[in-house]
Amino acid sequence: MSRGITGAGIAVVVVVAAALASCSGSATGSATGSATGSAPSNAAVGASAYAEPSAEVATSPSSSPSAAASTSAKPKQTATPEAEAVNGWIPVGDAWRKQVAAFKATKADPPPADAGNLPEFRADCKYSHRLADDPIVFPGLPGASHMHSFVGNKAVDADTRTADLTKFTATTCKPVKDRSAYWVPTLYDNATRKPVETTGFRVYYRSLQNNSAGQMPMPNGLRMISGDAKKKEPTPRGAQGQFYCAFYGPGDIDGVARSTNGNWPICGGDATLHFTLRFPDCWDGKHLDSPNHKDHVAYGSGNACPADHPVKIPSLTFEIQYGVKGSKAGYYLSSDPTGKSASSMHGDAFVMWDVDAMNQRTKNCIVQRRTCNNDGYDPFSY
């Protein structure tokens, strides 16, 4: 269960147990096929993860200042680069081994008596910029992707690598020690064809299991994708992987009505459109990325990680709010401008935190199984 987005001027999702269930189909996309290892690079392998990128880019307006805003101010990469990908697999390096040693030496801060019982911490992020780039699927290939809406690190573009996230740390997230980049396909109003950007973007780091034995922090440089950009299925009322309506109090998460094509809810009262994406919580401990950007991570089962992905890491959960209520015309995602359903909704994460902050939050909040907000312990409980 999860609480949704809070803060000044931002609505709170409270009807989310059913919403998580409705999104589980798009959030359990860890690939079942094994990597072939035949592709020469992430870019070549990643190209198969998206259908018709050039057509989607053409459909997605990019002439607005925010869309064209790029990272011209981004400093040149001067830090030691991570190991090069081998057939799409990026090996973990010495930075992770150093982080593990530091994590083991980190002492948890005693929680206050009123600390909540949810093993999680979070970052609240705002919209940063929009580009037809994807540094995970199409690294080094600007304009090759459908349009994405980025939150977090302000410098992200097609050329972003781990060293860039460590050198350029300006972010739209709080706490500012989260320098990660998070992105989703851009949502468009079907009537106006104008982009609809997020008005709230909360990223939870949490335990999905009922114990924290063997819990480790998130490694810097880890790339992950949740959902399936190639999925093109209707999302009628009650479908898995649909957008839903939420605000304070009871309400119909499927909407009081639907768009003409049935794929999008029309929200009643003060509710607005939301989407939830959940990422895996187990890692192979060896690779920061894989050819399909999913094989290096997996979902735990039975409160344990599988033998081939033995490292228990925090699970990311995106809780995304859009400041629109829905309409008869409906919407479309840049990943499916033709079918105009929500089934292709997906999320990307390129993780980069201040190491001490990540280690301390993991110890305080997840290992001790206490609720934390952006800054420290939080009294919220279920």
Side-chain angles (χ1 to χ4, degrees), residues 163-333:
D164 297 306
L165 298 180
T166 66
K167 300 298 290 184
F168 191 89
T169 58
T171 180
T172 66
C173 292
K174 293 182 179 179
V176 296
K177 291 185 177 181
D178 180 7
R179 290 99 184 233
S180 307
Y182 311 108
W183 61 96
V184 293
T186 300
L187 181 70
Y188 288 91
D189 185 306
N190 191 41
T192 65
R193 296 190 175 271
K194 292 182 178 180
V196 179
E197 294 300 352
T198 62
T199 53
F201 201 112
R202 174 165 288 178
V203 183
Y204 284 103
Y205 288 73
R206 53 161 57 116
S207 171
L208 301 181
Q209 304 181 23
N210 66 6
N211 67 80
S212 295
Q215 180 70 51
M216 298 300 293
M218 194 72 84
N220 274 340
L222 187 69
R223 288 88 150 161
M224 293 186 292
I225 296 177
S226 177
D228 184 356
K230 296 176 68 176
K231 191 174 182 179
K232 307 291 191 292
E233 297 178 1
T235 48
R237 176 181 291 273
Q240 289 189 335
Q242 67 164 323
F243 281 65
Y244 61 95
C245 299
F247 194 65
Y248 286 103
D252 189 339
I253 65 171
D254 289 326
V256 296
R258 304 292 290 187
S259 60
T260 300
N261 67 6
N263 290 327
W264 303 89
I266 299 174
C267 303
D270 293 323
T272 60
L273 292 185
H274 290 71
F275 200 92
T276 300
L277 276 167
R278 178 177 285 174
F279 289 73
D281 59 339
C282 298
W283 174 47
D284 69 4
K286 301 175 182 178
H287 303 97
L288 297 174
D289 200 2
S290 52
N292 63 5
H293 318 294
K294 292 185 176 183
D295 281 346
H296 60 305
V297 289
Y299 290 90
S301 177
N303 294 303
C305 286
D308 54 353
H309 293 79
V311 182
K312 186 187 296 186
I313 57 174
S315 169
L316 296 183
T317 298
F318 289 177
E319 287 197 355
I320 310 167
Q321 176 187 334
Y322 295 85
V324 293
K325 299 179 64 61
S327 68
K328 281 296 183 182
Y331 303 87
Y332 63 88
L333 293 164

Side-chain angles (χ1 to χ4, degrees), residues 59-71:
T59 307
S60 305
S62 59
S63 58
S64 69
S66 59
S70 107
T71 55

Side-chain angles (χ1 to χ4, degrees), residues 64 66-67 125-131 148-152 172 197-199 201:
S64 69
S66 59
C125 306
K126 296 180 179 179
Y127 169 72
S128 173
H129 60 284
R130 188 169 63 252
L131 289 171
H148 283 114
S149 296
F150 292 83
V151 306
T172 66
E197 294 300 352
T198 62
T199 53
F201 201 112

Side-chain angles (χ1 to χ4, degrees), residues 92-101 216-220 283 285 311:
V92 70
D94 288 338
W96 169 243
R97 286 180 276 276
K98 293 177 181 177
Q99 183 178 357
V100 170
M216 298 300 293
M218 194 72 84
N220 274 340
W283 174 47
V311 182

